């Protein structure tokens, strides 16, 4: 093999740098020398590597093979790496009994409470998002990524009229109430099955007595009156015993296209307000959902107020609202009017895309 120089030798370059014709006083001689040596070294390395490959040099082939083996091992190690343990997201949504919360909405003011400590929550949510992206894709995750990274700022700077307590997804159209067309298919399906849901409620309500609360019902704390709920789905988890008592209503939930059933923000229940009941003003946990009320029994004197705007229920009709707005409900009717009863279902906000729904189900999965 004959080596043919591709340019002037190092000694020639040094002689050129020391000649009087070099008139650049601002140029550092040391820097130029180092630069020339670096280029020569790089050139020699590349030329040697090319020539080794051409000659099928065994050392070069072994080196490339070792690098490939190391790369494959690294990919396997990263792929099988187990996530670090974090506090469960499901603990955000624990009931009032665990934390002393009123209706599960008021702040408990405890520094160790995950629901009230957004710094630890942000870390957990971002970890879950990374796990999702590693398994599936980052495609379509822009808003969720933005929301998680800046969650503390969003929750602290939101106007008092809308302030979700757990998770705020940015850039969603906001309104206290939504038209029926927002989730037209599910609204029409619920209204067509009004009599089915009403009949199963009436069968449940016959079990009430003056001395005890029937099994499956929950009594919520209110300033006055009684607020009872009968959950079929509670924070993304089916309640089998209750579902068996309302089989047709539970099957109806499976027919809804936008029902949230796979994350902690999804609920479905029968909600009963007795006359004289007032629910304390509160915010819901997130703005990614629309809460749907199907009126079953709606006597006069009952009202829902969301974001300062009052609305009344109607029997057999759905009322859609964003419960991340400050809201309250009350029943000012008489005992003769009977209770106000609605079937409540959480539906996806219409502007949350399908890819975002899948990711949010993963991030906020029950038990994570």
């Amino acid at each position: 093999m004959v080596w043919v120089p591709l340019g002037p030798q190092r000694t020639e370059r040094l002689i050129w740098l020391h000649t009087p014709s070099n008139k650049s006083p601002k140029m550092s001689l040391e820097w130029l020398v180092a630069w020339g040596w670096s280029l020569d070294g790089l050139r020699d390395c590349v030329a040697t590597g090319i020539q080794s490959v051409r000659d099928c040099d065994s050392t070069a082939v072994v080196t490339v093979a070792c690098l490939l083996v190391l790369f494959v091992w690294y990919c396997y190690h990263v792929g099988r790496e187990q996530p670090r343990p974090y506090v469960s997201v499901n603990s955000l949504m624990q009931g009032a009994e665990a934390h002393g919360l009123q209706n599960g909405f008021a702040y408990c003011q405890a520094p160790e409470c995950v629901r009230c400590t957004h710094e630890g929550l942000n870390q957990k949510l971002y970890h879950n998002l990374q796990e999702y992206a590693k398994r599936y894709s980052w495609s379509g995750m822009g808003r969720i990524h933005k929301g998680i990274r800046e969650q503390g700022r969003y929750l602290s700077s939101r106007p008092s009229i809308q302030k979700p307590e757990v998770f705020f997804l940015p850039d969603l159209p906001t309104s206290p109430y939504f038209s029926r067309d927002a989730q037209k298919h599910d609204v029409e399906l619920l209204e067509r099955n009004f009599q089915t849901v009403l009949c199963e409620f009436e069968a449940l309500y016959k079990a009430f007595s003056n001395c005890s609360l029937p099994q499956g019902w929950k009594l919520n704390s209110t300033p006055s009156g009684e607020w009872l709920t009968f959950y079929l789905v509670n924070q993304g988890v089916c309640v089998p015993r209750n579902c068996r008592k309302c089989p047709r209503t539970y099957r109806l939930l499976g027919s809804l296209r936008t029902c949230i059933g796979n994350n902690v923000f999804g609920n479905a229940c029968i909600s009963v307000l007795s006359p004289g009941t007032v629910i304390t003003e509160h915010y819901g946990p997130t703005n990614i959902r629309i809460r749907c009320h199907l009126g079953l029994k709606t006597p006069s004197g009952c009202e829902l107020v969301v974001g300062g705007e009052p609305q009344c229920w109607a029997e057999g009709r759905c009322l859609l609202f964003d419960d991340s707005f400050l809201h309250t409900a009350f029943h000012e009717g008489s005992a003769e009017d009977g209770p106000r009863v609605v079937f409540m279902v959480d539906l996806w906000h219409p502007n949350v895309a399908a890819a975002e729904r899948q990711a949010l189900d993963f991030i906020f999965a029950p038990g994570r």
Side-chain angles (χ1 to χ4, degrees):
M1 181 179 67
V2 179
W3 174 255
V4 179
L6 299 178
Q9 299 299 313
R10 294 189 184 91
T11 54
E12 295 175 350
R13 294 191 179 189
L14 291 174
I15 293 172
W16 178 83
L17 289 170
H18 285 286
T19 56
S21 60
N22 186 9
K23 303 293 186 180
S24 302
K26 295 183 179 180
M27 182 70 73
S28 169
L29 180 61
E30 293 80 1
W31 183 85
L32 286 174
V33 172
W35 179 72
W37 276 74
S38 299
L39 288 181
D40 287 344
L42 179 62
R43 183 195 63 187
D44 294 342
C45 180
V46 172
T48 303
I50 294 174
Q51 191 61 40
S52 298
V53 172
R54 286 177 178 175
D55 296 342
C56 294
D57 184 78
S58 60
T59 304
V61 173
V62 170
T63 301
V64 172
C66 290
L67 290 174
L68 287 175
V69 170
L70 288 173
F71 177 74
V72 171
W73 174 85
Y74 174 78
C75 292
Y76 171 76
H77 177 72
V78 171
R80 69 187 296 270
E81 182 181 10
Q82 295 298 320
R84 294 173 292 169
Y86 283 85
V87 177
S88 170
V89 171
N90 202 40
S91 63
L92 301 172
M93 311 297 294
Q94 294 302 314
E97 295 84 359
H99 297 290
L101 305 179
Q102 182 177 356
N103 297 336
F105 297 109
Y107 291 108
C108 67
Q109 306 299 334
E112 66 275 7
C113 177
V114 180
R115 182 183 178 121
C116 302
T117 309
H118 296 295
E119 183 177 356
L121 169 62
N122 293 346
Q123 184 183 19
K124 171 61 180 174
L125 296 184
Y126 192 66
H127 169 77
N128 287 351
L129 175 59
Q130 288 180 316
E131 282 294 303
Y132 174 84
K134 186 164 67 174
R135 295 189 187 186
Y136 303 103
S137 171
W138 279 103
S139 178
M141 297 299 103
R143 283 198 300 192
I144 297 178
H145 181 266
K146 177 182 177 183
I148 291 176
R149 291 298 297 269
E150 303 185 33
Q151 197 62 205
R153 180 174 66 84
Y154 286 131
L155 295 181
S156 62
S157 62
R158 293 296 304 168
S160 59
I161 193 173
Q162 184 193 27
K163 189 173 290 187
E165 295 186 341
V166 176
F167 179 72
F168 178 79
L169 185 65
D171 305 325
L172 280 182
T174 179
S175 174
Y177 294 97
F178 283 80
S179 70
R180 296 162 45 83
D181 292 336
Q183 298 295 3
K184 185 176 181 180
H185 173 272
D186 289 352
V187 165
E188 292 179 348
L189 186 59
L190 286 167
E191 291 179 351
R192 284 200 302 270
N193 288 272
F194 158 68
Q195 287 295 337
T196 297
V197 181
L198 178 62
C199 289
E200 292 195 330
F201 159 72
E202 290 177 338
L204 286 174
Y205 206 63
K206 290 178 181 178
F208 273 83
S209 65
N210 295 326
C211 57
S212 63
L213 187 68
Q215 191 176 45
W217 287 87
K218 177 184 176 183
L219 178 62
N220 303 281
S221 175
T222 56
S224 60
E226 287 185 345
W227 175 23
L228 303 171
T229 47
F230 186 85
Y231 280 93
L232 303 183
V233 179
N234 188 11
Q235 298 166 15
V237 178
C238 172
V239 184
R241 180 179 297 171
N242 290 357
C243 292
R244 285 194 292 268
K245 296 179 180 179
C246 301
R248 291 181 294 173
T249 301
Y250 179 65
R251 285 196 295 270
L252 173 61
L253 290 176
S255 302
L256 302 178
R257 295 176 180 174
T258 61
C259 177
I260 301 178
N262 298 317
N263 70 54
V264 295
F265 298 129
N267 301 276
C269 72
I270 296 173
S271 174
V272 179
L273 292 186
S274 63
T277 301
V278 177
I279 299 177
T280 306
E281 288 186 326
H282 59 274
Y283 302 97
T286 183
N287 67 327
I288 67 172
R289 72 187 187 189
I290 292 178
R291 181 148 283 185
C292 175
H293 281 183
L294 171 64
L296 301 181
K297 290 182 176 294
T298 58
S300 60
C302 300
E303 205 167 85
L304 172 69
V305 181
V306 182
E309 300 181 20
Q311 288 279 356
C312 294
W313 296 275
E315 293 182 3
R317 303 283 289 179
C318 287
L319 181 61
L320 307 180
F321 65 99
D322 184 345
D323 73 326
S324 66
F325 282 79
L326 186 66
H327 63 285
T328 182
F330 54 86
H331 183 354
E332 294 181 336
S334 62
E336 291 75 17
D337 294 328
R340 181 239 59 177
V341 185
V342 299
F343 180 53
M344 185 196 79
V345 185
D346 288 324
L347 308 176
W348 283 104
H349 190 292
N351 293 94
V352 177
E356 293 175 320
R357 295 178 186 182
Q358 180 178 328
L360 290 167
D361 279 344
F362 181 90
I363 294 170
F364 291 100
R368 282 190 66 84

